[in-house]
Amino acid sequence: MKRAVLAFLLTCTAIGAALEATSPPAAAQPQPQNLAQNLTQPAPRASQNTAGAGAAVGAPQMPVDTAPAATPNAPLPGETETQDALPEPSLAAQDLYDSARGDLLQIRMLLKNGRTQSTVGSGFLVGTSNLALTNYHVVSQMALDPGIYTAEYIDTDGNTGPVELMAVDVLHDLAVVRINRNGSGFFKVPEQPVRLRQGQRLYSLGNPLDLGFAISEGAYNGVLTRSFYDRLIFSGPINSGMSGGPSVTASGTVAGINVSRRRDGESVSFLVPVKHAQELLRKVAEQAAPPADFNPLIGKQLLAHQGSMVDKLLEEPLTLKGMGQYLVPVRESGEVRCWGRSNARGAVYSTDSMSCVMQSAVFVSDVQQTGNVAMTHQYIRSGTMDPMRFATLASDTFQVNNLGSTGDPRLTKPFCTERFVHTRSLPMRAVTCVRAYRKFEGLYNFTLLTASTDASQSSLQSRLDVSGVSYENGLRVTRAYLGAFGRSGRR
C-alpha cells in the first residue's frame, strides 16, 4: 500500500517516456519540407541545476569557459565594469605590435536592417593573402542567418570594408573570411605544427572591450585535457573582443587563436591550436566557392561530433556509485567531472546530490551550446515523515516541466512518453522527452527523468541530459544509463 501511494502521486505529476521506440516520434521529428518556415536562432542553453530537495531535478550547469568574442554592452547606470585592464606592455611587446598592427582586424557583425552593430571580435590577415582567420563564434550570426546579419572589418588605420565568409569549423571554433585588402606577411601560419615549450612567451593581439587594438603578454602552459577538443592554456589576459585574434611567438609565428577565458580564473585563457587553422585554410584553397548556405555544413559537423562523443562516452560500461541502498550510473573521465553535496533539512529529511557534467560543449550561437552530456542524482530520505507526507515531498521534487521553453522556435516542442520499468533489481518510473533541432536535421536533445518506486521513506531521482545527438545515439545513451541502475543492498 505504501509503494502504491508513492507510485500514484508520482504518476499524477509527470508526463511520460518509452525507451523501446526504434524511430523518432512524429512530434519530435523535423519535417524537411517545413524547415524553411522555422529558420530562426537555435535553442537555449540547458536548464540550470536545482539539486536541492523540493526543486526539479535539473540539468547541472556546465562550467563553460567564457567565449570573449562579443564585446558586452556598456555598463548601465550604477553598474561596474569588472573586466581587468590590460597591463602595460614590455618593450618586446611594443616592438612586436608595431610590426603586426597593419594586419590586425576588428570584425563587426551588423544587423542588415539599419546596419546596427551586433557584436565585435578580432581577426588577422594570413601572410600576404586577403584571407583572415577568426573564431566561428565571432561570425556565427552571419553563418546562421545571412539574411539578417552581415559583417565588416576595420583595421588599425580606421579603414573598413566588407567581410565574406569562406569556411567554418564549428568544432574547433574557427572561421576563414575574405576581405578587400592583403596582408603584409607578418603573421606566419606555417604548414607544419608549431612546437611550444612550457613557459614559452606568447603575445595575444586583438581589440579588447571595443576600446582599441592592444597586445597582451603571457606564457604557454600546456594543453587543456578536460575539453573534448584540444585547447592551449595561455597564462595571460584575453578580454572580451579579443576572440579571433592571433597569439604569436616573438618572431610572429602564429601558435594559436584567442578563443576563451575562465570566469573564475586569474589570467587563465585558452587558444585554438594553429594546426586546426592550417587544416581549415587548406580546405579553403581546395574549394571552388564558399557554401551558399552554411547551415547544412554546420549540421554535418555537429553530427560528426556527436558520433565521436557518444562512442567515447560508452566505450566502457558506466561506473556505478552507491547512494544509500541504490547504485547510480556516472561517467568520470577527462571530459566529464563529478561533484557531490549533502543538504540536511533538520531532522525531517536530507538530500544527497551528485552531478556529473561534460566540461566542454560546442558553441553554435550565443543562445545555444550543444554536444554535451550531464547526469544528476538525488537521494532523498527521511526516518520521521509518514509515508503519505514523504510521497508528497517526492512528487513535488519530481517535476518534468524544467525542459526549457516549449515555445522556442529553434527546437520542436518536447515529445514525452512514460513507462514503469524494472532494472535488474530496481523498479523505477522513467520519463523520456525528445526535442528535434529545426535548423539541423537529424539532431535531437534527449532528457531522461527517473524515480525509484520501491520505498516509502526514500526516493532516488535522477536526470540525464544529452544534447545534439542523433536519434539512435540518444537511445543508446538513455538505454545504457537506465539499465545501469540497481540496488546496493545497503539501507
Side-chain angles (χ1 to χ4, degrees):
M1 176 64 182
K2 293 178 180 179
R3 293 183 183 180
V5 168
L6 177 58
F8 174 76
L9 287 173
L10 286 173
T11 303
C12 290
T13 61
I15 328 173
L19 295 180
E20 287 79 5
T22 57
S23 61
Q29 187 171 13
Q31 302 301 318
Q33 64 269 27
N34 294 329
L35 287 179
Q37 302 172 13
N38 300 300
L39 294 183
T40 56
Q41 297 275 7
R45 295 174 185 267
S47 53
Q48 304 299 307
N49 182 23
T50 51
V57 184
Q61 184 176 8
M62 182 184 63
V64 179
D65 308 321
T66 302
T71 296
N73 295 329
L76 297 173
E79 292 184 337
T80 302
E81 173 59 67
T82 58
Q83 298 278 4
D84 295 333
L86 290 173
E88 185 72 21
S90 66
L91 289 177
Q94 292 178 48
D95 290 342
L96 190 147
Y97 178 79
D98 287 342
S99 301
R101 65 185 303 277
D103 292 349
L104 289 174
L105 304 172
Q106 184 184 65
I107 298 177
R108 301 176 174 182
M109 290 297 104
L110 304 174
L111 190 66
K112 281 188 174 181
N113 187 8
R115 304 284 294 184
T116 306
Q117 181 171 291
S118 175
T119 63
V120 299
S122 297
F124 61 99
L125 285 159
V126 177
T128 57
S129 74
N130 62 350
L131 298 178
L133 281 165
T134 187
N135 288 139
Y136 161 77
H137 72 254
V138 172
V139 297
S140 60
Q141 291 173 320
M142 181 171 61
L144 295 168
D145 294 298
I148 300 175
Y149 294 97
T150 186
E152 70 176 12
Y153 76 87
I154 181 170
D155 63 20
T156 53
D157 293 324
N159 302 312
T160 64
V163 169
E164 180 185 9
L165 186 59
M166 301 297 292
V168 300
D169 179 353
V170 176
L171 306 185
H172 296 106
D173 203 347
L174 289 172
V176 175
V177 300
R178 183 164 61 190
I179 67 172
N180 58 4
R181 52 156 291 199
N182 292 73
S184 69
F186 179 81
F187 291 116
K188 298 178 283 290
V189 178
E191 294 185 1
Q192 301 300 319
V194 177
R195 181 172 297 179
L196 301 170
R197 302 186 309 276
Q198 188 89 1
Q200 182 173 344
R201 204 69 176 162
L202 292 178
Y203 303 86
S204 286
L205 301 100
N207 195 316
L209 304 175
D210 200 16
L211 297 175
F213 291 93
I215 186 167
S216 173
E217 294 184 77
Y220 164 73
N221 271 303
V223 179
L224 179 66
T225 59
R226 292 175 183 166
S227 175
F228 201 85
Y229 296 103
D230 51 350
R231 292 281 189 268
L232 305 184
I233 301 173
F234 175 69
S235 298
I238 294 179
N239 288 277
S240 295
M242 292 182 70
S243 271
S247 186
V248 301
T249 65
S251 64
T253 298
V254 179
I257 294 87
N258 306 332
V259 68
S260 61
R261 63 183 175 86
R262 280 297 293 258
R263 300 190 194 104
D264 56 349
E266 187 69 29
S267 294
V268 179
S269 306
F270 303 100
L271 314 171
V272 181
V274 72
K275 64 182 180 180
H276 302 304
Q278 295 163 350
E279 179 61 29
L280 193 59
L281 287 167
R282 281 192 286 268
K283 290 180 179 179
V284 171
E286 295 168 0
Q287 69 184 17
D293 181 0
F294 280 90
N295 282 281
L297 175 62
I298 293 170
K300 183 178 179 180
Q301 293 178 4
L302 295 176
L303 277 169
H305 167 76
Q306 63 85 33
S308 300
M309 178 187 74
V310 172
D311 286 346
K312 191 164 187 177
L313 181 72
L314 300 181
E315 64 183 357
E316 295 179 359
L318 295 170
T319 301
L320 297 181
K321 292 202 171 186
M323 296 190 78
Q325 69 264 40
Y326 302 109
L327 293 173
V328 301
V330 299
R331 168 63 74 230
E332 290 184 293
S333 65
E335 296 82 24
V336 182
R337 298 188 69 195
C338 298
W339 296 266
R341 68 175 182 177
S342 183
N343 184 15
R345 299 299 178 95
V348 180
Y349 68 91
S350 61
T351 303
D352 291 338
S353 302
M354 185 188 307
S355 298
C356 298
V357 188
M358 187 172 287
Q359 296 293 284
S360 62
V362 179
F363 179 99
V364 178
S365 74
D366 58 356
V367 291
Q368 182 184 36
Q369 296 191 46
T370 188
N372 187 255
V373 177
M375 306 173 184
T376 301
H377 304 285
Q378 285 191 102
Y379 174 52
I380 312 167
R381 72 262 188 208
S382 174
T384 60
M385 297 176 70
D386 65 80
M388 180 64 77
R389 187 181 173 197
F390 185 83
T392 302
L393 169 67
S395 294
D396 289 343
T397 305
F398 190 77
Q399 298 179 8
V400 297
N401 58 358
N402 188 20
L403 299 172
S405 172
T406 57
D408 194 321
R410 306 167 187 93
L411 298 171
T412 60
K413 292 182 179 180
F415 182 87
C416 299
T417 52
E418 174 253 332
R419 281 184 67 90
F420 283 90
V421 299
H422 204 295
T423 69
R424 52 188 174 152
S425 59
L426 183 64
M428 303 183 76
R429 183 170 180 275
V431 177
T432 301
C433 295
V434 184
R435 304 184 74 175
Y437 289 54
R438 294 190 187 276
K439 280 199 174 214
F440 309 120
E441 184 178 354
L443 287 175
Y444 300 83
N445 286 352
F446 276 71
T447 297
L448 172 62
L449 304 172
T450 62
S452 60
T453 59
D454 65 327
S456 60
Q457 289 183 307
S458 66
S459 177
L460 174 67
Q461 300 189 9
S462 302
R463 173 167 176 161
L464 169 71
D465 284 279
V466 189
S467 65
V469 293
S470 68
Y471 193 80
E472 293 74 17
N473 276 334
L475 288 179
R476 282 179 64 197
V477 178
T478 52
R479 285 170 175 162
Y481 178 81
L482 183 59
F485 283 95
R487 294 185 63 90
S488 66
R490 291 177 53 198
R491 286 286 178 180

